Every structure is written in structure tokens, then in C-alpha cells.
Amino acid sequence: MAVLDNVFRGPHSVAEYFNPESNPPLPLVEIPDRLNPFRKDNVRIYAKMLTCLPAQNVKSLPALHMLRMEPRAQSRKIAEASSGSTILSLGILARVLWGNEDVEAHVTNKKSVESLNLLRFFGIKPCLYGGLPQQEPTDPTGIMARLRRRAVAASNDMVYLGQYDNHNNWKAHAAWTGPQILRQLPEINVFSTTVGTGANLEFSDEGCIAGTGMYLKSQKPSTTILGVFNALGDPTPGPRYFDGFQSSAFPWQETIDSCVEVSSESAYRMSMRLSREGLICGPSSGEALHGLLQYLAELKRSERLTELVDKQTNEISCVFTCSDLPYQYISGYFERLEPDDFPPIENDVLLQCDQGRHDFRWILDGEQAVELLSAAPNRGSDDEHSPETPIEGHVQRSGLISGVSAYFGCWHGLLRMRKRCVIPRRLHPIHRHTQPNSPTLVLDLRNSNDYEELHIPGSLSAPLPGLFQGLGGGDLFGDAEAVHMLCTRMQKWLQGAQLSRILAEAVRDRRPVILLCYDGLASQLGSSDLRQKGIEAFTVRGGFQALWSRYQKQANA
């Protein structure tokens, strides 16, 4: 009986949240007509949204029932041969019911790091095994037999629930899933679900089809139970191929009326179509629907579709299961489907550049930049290098930033760093702090002509090839090609021998670096690159003109 207003309170609130008897029935949703090519034949197709269970997958029902029927699991290690929804549900529910955090997932060593990390995220310990990733429950050398022997030998320490031959698995669906569907849709004619699991070593949907099918048959014998299998050698995560299903101990053979096989491509594509229509589900769900449509198409070709018509409604009412969500299988969609099945990525050239971090704290306004320029030096005033010493004479080589310049075409600009800008006497204090041995290094990325015309005293001219006033139409980051061009040239620019030595000295002396460009945008790309190299780099909002205006105001004060 559902709790009032679906609100769960008290010390056992989460346990009640996971209790199917405390919740309203899971949604049964008719699919849109565009996904149902037989709607004109009076066929109605409904998705049973098992994804709306608290753990968001079909396995939480068997997991709950198996745990409830094994009281020893309350205080002992729980081990299961599973890499997906079953072990995730067991791990979550063991905590929810009893606070038991000692759960192990015995997983093939062929699993991806992402899959293993998902287990670890939920506090489940992955225990890897080698050899065949897909092993039969009856194989005496397989992982399931090994866990059975271990559970017997360590009977006081470990519980092995054994989802593959634990009859409380399928009985969960006989107790909950079947009754829900029949109560929601008493006119049901066809029930379709995938059978077993190959890729993830789980017979979850075997339990679903055995339990749900057995209940429906017991209450409405005319219901057709359709078992959907993987095509041999073409696995979809979740279902199993027919020949590999014969070892199952569950009562499936007397339950299933018809069987179909579905390719993984068809399963993934149908799952994607369902998800795009708002019925978000994984590939096994797409397989269940595609198998159902395949079955109906064959009946129509053989003029037997009318055999399924309900005499009271004059319709054919079908239900398929949506068992889990698509997110952990996303890479599989892009491996199996065509590029045209997905919208293209606009401005994908940006995936090749500007991948470093950006941070608003690295963007200074004019006042903040002037304060940084005027800060007390980090080094003593008795520095061994005179402000008049040419920069080539006192910058030391460093291994921090290496590379030989084959591209840096601005030597004349860098040599001009030795020259002093003639400025009014009132600017001398700031000029002094922006000399090469001052606490802040200022690199001017504008072209050399603009630098010669006007620049911050003591700043160094380091023209960035390709940069000019108004690049990107004044909106650099709105022009993907311009960003890519600048990033590409910036990588070569940063490898220049002169610039490398200058930046290496800044690191050695712990001097921050301010990058100046025309509008403060290109310099953001540079500061991101320099930060990745361990250099404390900043840029100025509004670029050179913003800093120059503040500089003049400070100098005239």
C-alpha cells in the first residue's frame, strides 16, 4: 500500500522507499504512434518503466527479494558475480536495509576502468578474475562455482546469493512486476522482455520473464510471452543469446511462447529512439521493443496478427520492459550506429584546442593589474642584475619550459625589450617596478608597430603571430576558427627560445606574468596555457587600453 502522498519519513524511510509495496505502481506508458508501425492494426504498445524503481534498474526487485530471504546477509560479506545492475542494487540495498557496507563484485578483468569506478562510487569492492569474461553458472572452473565453494568454506564470513540459480530472483517479479502489469492493463495480450544477460554475466531478465510470465499465465493463460534474445555473437548488454541460455535453472521454458533474436545495432537504435521520445532507457529495452515489433511483423506477414486480438477491446495490447538507463552504455551507441544518427557537433574544431582550464580569478581589471605592477618586489633591491642589463645577458636557461624556436618570428620585438620608453618623470615609480627585475613580468602580445606606438613602460614586446585588432569581429570566442588559429600559433610561440628563457626566469624568481592583448580575450588563451605550465599568469579585462587608462590615472594621481 502506497504511503500517503508518496512521502517517506522516519528511521526506515529509505528502506520503505525501496519497498515496492509502499509505492504506487511503476508507470505503464503507451509509446508514440511514430514508434508503433502497427497502430493502424489496432495494436497498442506500452512501456513498463522499471527504470522508475529507486535504483533505476530492474535488478533492484530481485536484489531486494534475495536479501530479504537471506538473513545472514545482514552481517556478513556479500559477494556476487556481477558487474552491473544486480551488484549495484545489492550494494545499495545492503546499506539501506542493514548498514552492511561489505559488498564485493566479482568482475572480469576485461571491464573498463569507468565500469569499475562506477562500482567503487557506490562503495562496492571490485574483485577481478581472468579468462573468459562470460562464464556459465554450471562451469565447475567458472567464477560462480568458485564463489559457491568459497561461501561454503567460509560459511560464517561470506554470503553468496547466486542470482543465477537463486529462485528468489524470479519470484520477485512474480510477486511485484506481474501483478502490477495485470492490474494496470487487464486486457494485456503480449508481454515482451529480453532474456538473461550475456555481456554483463547477469540473468536478470531471465528472472523477469520467468516470474512475470508465470504470473501472467496463471491469471490470464491467453497472454503470449515473447522472449527476446541476442543474435549469436552480437551481444547487447543485458540480454543473452538463446544457445547460451539452456543452462538456466529458472522455469523459463514452460513460460515463453515465442522467441526472437535481435541485433545489437537494432537494439541500440531503438533504445535511442525511445529515449529521444522521453522514454529514457538502455539498449536491452530497445531490444525488447524491437523484438516485439519483429514478432508482430512476422504475424502480419503470415496473416496471423488477428489471433492476438482481445475480444472485448478489439485491440492487441502489448507490454515491453524498460529495464535500465542508457548512460553507462553511451560509447556503445557511437560504436554501433552511424554518424548520421547523431546531430553533428558545431565548431568541433574547438575540441582540438583551448582544452585547458580558464578561471575568472585570473582576469584582472585595470586597477587590480596596476596594484600587481606596483606591489613590493619579491626579491631584494640588491639583485645581482642591474635594470640596465640586456635581458639576454641575465636570463638563465631552465628545464621547466624547453624547446627551440623554429617559429618565433618576433626577434626584433624582443630585442627592443632592452630599450627604455621615454616617459614623464611622474611615471618613474611604476616604471621602476615594471623593469625586468621587478616582481611582475608584462608580456605585450600586440604586433610590434602597436607596441612601438604605445606600451606600458617596462613591458616586453612578444608579438603573437596572427593576432590583430578586431580578430574574430571583436568577439574572439564566438569565432571558432580564429580561436583554433590562435591556439595553434600560440603553442609554437610558447616554444620560442627567447620567450622560454624569459618565462623560465619568471618561474625561478616566482614572478607573476601579465599578458596584454587588444581586448583581453586572446591573452586568456595564453594565461590558460601558462597556468598549465605552472606559471602564475594573468590577463587584463579590456586588454591593453584598459590597463593603459588605469596606468595613466595612477601616474597622474
Side-chain angles (χ1 to χ4, degrees):
M1 182 176 180
V3 298
L4 182 63
D5 293 328
N6 214 23
V7 176
F8 301 88
R9 295 185 173 91
H12 306 294
S13 58
V14 182
E16 282 302 296
Y17 169 55
F18 273 83
N19 181 1
E21 295 157 11
S22 299
N23 284 273
L26 298 170
L28 193 66
V29 185
E30 185 170 10
I31 66 174
D33 288 353
R34 52 183 163 270
L35 293 181
N36 179 4
F38 304 101
R39 187 66 190 90
K40 293 181 180 179
D41 299 300
N42 290 327
V43 175
R44 307 190 81 131
I45 300 175
Y46 300 83
K48 180 60 174 176
M49 301 303 294
L50 296 168
T51 52
C52 292
L53 287 162
Q56 300 180 327
N57 69 76
V58 66
K59 306 287 187 65
S60 62
L61 294 177
L64 176 62
H65 200 49
M66 289 190 293
L67 287 172
R68 280 181 172 181
M69 301 306 289
E70 180 49 87
R72 295 179 303 166
Q74 180 171 350
S75 57
R76 299 180 187 180
K77 180 191 298 294
I78 299 171
E80 190 64 39
S82 167
S83 61
S85 299
T86 293
I87 192 62
L88 291 174
S89 296
L90 287 173
I92 293 168
L93 280 161
R95 285 178 185 244
V96 167
L97 295 176
W98 308 305
N100 185 350
E101 302 178 8
D102 194 2
V103 180
E104 291 180 350
H106 290 259
V107 185
T108 171
N109 62 344
K110 282 72 176 175
K111 272 293 174 186
S112 67
V113 173
E114 290 77 11
S115 296
L116 299 178
N117 284 340
L118 180 62
L119 296 172
R120 298 169 67 202
F121 173 82
F122 282 99
I124 298 166
K125 178 183 178 182
C127 301
L128 304 182
Y129 62 82
L132 283 172
Q134 181 178 330
Q135 301 178 3
E136 293 297 330
T138 56
D139 183 354
T141 64
I143 182 61
M144 284 73 85
R146 197 152 57 244
L147 286 174
R148 289 189 201 100
R149 292 192 296 269
R150 180 181 161 192
V152 172
S155 58
N156 294 323
D157 301 318
M158 188 193 88
V159 169
Y160 170 56
L161 293 170
Q163 60 169 317
Y164 307 101
D165 49 23
N166 189 327
H167 289 272
N168 289 312
N169 182 333
W170 65 267
K171 287 180 179 179
H173 294 288
W176 294 315
T177 309
Q180 275 194 19
I181 291 174
L182 191 60
R183 185 164 71 252
Q184 292 171 306
L185 195 71
E187 65 270 28
I188 183 172
N189 305 115
V190 182
F191 175 69
S192 171
T193 190
T194 51
V195 183
T197 299
N200 286 341
L201 280 175
E202 298 176 7
F203 285 85
S204 65
D205 292 331
E206 173 196 356
C208 183
I209 198 166
T212 307
M214 183 173 290
Y215 179 84
L216 292 174
K217 285 285 193 183
S218 70
Q219 302 298 310
K220 188 176 181 181
S222 62
T223 307
T224 297
I225 308 300
L226 176 66
V228 185
F229 293 84
N230 283 338
L232 184 61
D234 184 21
T236 297
R240 194 170 177 81
Y241 58 88
F242 183 81
D243 290 342
F245 191 57
Q246 306 305 310
S247 61
S248 168
F250 293 173
W252 64 276
Q253 289 178 315
E254 60 265 38
T255 303
I256 296 178
D257 296 299
S258 295
C259 301
V260 296
E261 291 185 346
V262 173
S263 71
S264 64
E265 179 183 347
S266 298
Y268 275 86
R269 177 169 283 106
M270 186 59 74
S271 160
M272 182 177 69
R273 293 184 66 193
L274 282 164
S275 295
R276 289 177 177 180
E277 295 289 346
L279 298 172
I280 302 172
C281 59
S284 67
S285 311
E287 184 166 318
L289 175 56
H290 192 278
L292 173 60
L293 297 178
Q294 227 173 268
Y295 172 69
L296 295 173
E298 179 58 33
L299 288 179
K300 186 173 182 178
R301 277 193 296 270
S302 60
E303 298 183 347
R304 295 172 51 216
L305 189 59
T306 56
E307 296 175 8
L308 298 176
V309 173
D310 185 270
K311 294 179 180 179
Q312 292 184 343
T313 64
N314 291 321
E315 294 179 329
I316 302 172
S317 298
C318 309
V319 175
F320 72 96
T321 55
C322 288
S323 299
D324 67 354
L325 297 172
Y327 306 115
Q328 61 180 315
Y329 311 112
I330 288 298
S331 61
Y333 292 87
F334 289 89
E335 290 168 4
R336 289 169 173 82
L337 304 182
E338 297 299 321
D340 290 345
D341 289 316
F342 308 95
I345 299 175
E346 185 175 348
N347 297 330
D348 61 347
V349 69
L350 292 178
L351 296 175
Q352 305 168 24
C353 64
D354 189 26
Q355 296 296 294
R357 178 186 169 196
H358 286 248
D359 194 312
F360 71 92
R361 292 172 297 181
W362 307 340
I363 304 173
L364 309 177
D365 59 28
E367 183 175 359
Q368 291 170 321
V370 168
E371 288 177 1
L372 185 60
L373 293 175
S374 305
N378 290 326
R379 297 183 295 176
S381 58
D382 57 344
D383 188 274
E384 58 180 315
H385 305 299
S386 165
E388 301 299 327
T389 304
I391 198 158
E392 295 88 350
H394 72 266
V395 177
Q396 304 298 316
R397 294 183 179 273
S398 168
L400 179 66
I401 305 176
S402 59
V404 177
S405 173
Y407 187 87
F408 197 170
C410 55
W411 286 92
H412 63 288
L414 286 172
L415 291 175
R416 216 181 285 115
M417 295 182 226
R418 287 184 268 178
K419 299 181 180 180
R420 298 307 182 89
C421 180
V422 178
I423 56 173
R425 183 176 301 275
R426 62 177 178 271
L427 298 187
H428 283 176
I430 295 180
H431 180 205
R432 183 180 66 250
H433 289 306
T434 55
Q435 292 302 316
N437 66 337
S438 71
T440 302
L441 171 65
V442 181
L443 293 179
D444 195 322
L445 279 56
R446 300 174 303 147
N447 68 57
S448 54
N449 290 334
D450 291 331
Y451 174 84
E452 271 194 0
E453 182 177 341
L454 190 65
H455 61 266
I456 301 298
S459 63
L460 309 182
S461 178
L464 174 60
L467 178 63
F468 58 87
Q469 178 80 45
L471 178 64
D475 180 16
L476 175 62
F477 291 115
D479 186 335
E481 294 298 333
V483 171
H484 181 260
M485 179 273 291
L486 272 189
C487 286
T488 301
R489 297 190 178 188
M490 189 167 288
Q491 293 307 309
K492 297 179 181 180
W493 175 75
L494 287 171
Q495 294 171 9
Q498 283 276 60
L499 187 57
S500 294
R501 291 199 300 270
I502 294 166
L503 294 173
E505 185 191 51
V507 171
R508 185 197 67 191
D509 296 335
R510 293 178 296 178
R511 296 169 65 197
V513 177
I514 293 179
L515 299 180
L516 284 179
C517 66
Y518 292 101
D519 54 12
L521 299 179
S523 53
Q524 288 183 33
L525 298 172
S527 64
S528 175
D529 283 342
L530 293 184
R531 288 276 178 168
Q532 291 181 74
K533 298 177 183 296
I535 299 172
E536 187 183 9
F538 298 92
T539 184
V540 179
R541 184 179 293 104
F544 171 80
Q545 193 58 50
L547 179 56
W548 179 254
S549 298
R550 186 64 196 182
Y551 181 87
Q552 286 186 309
K553 182 177 180 181
Q554 177 83 1
N556 290 325

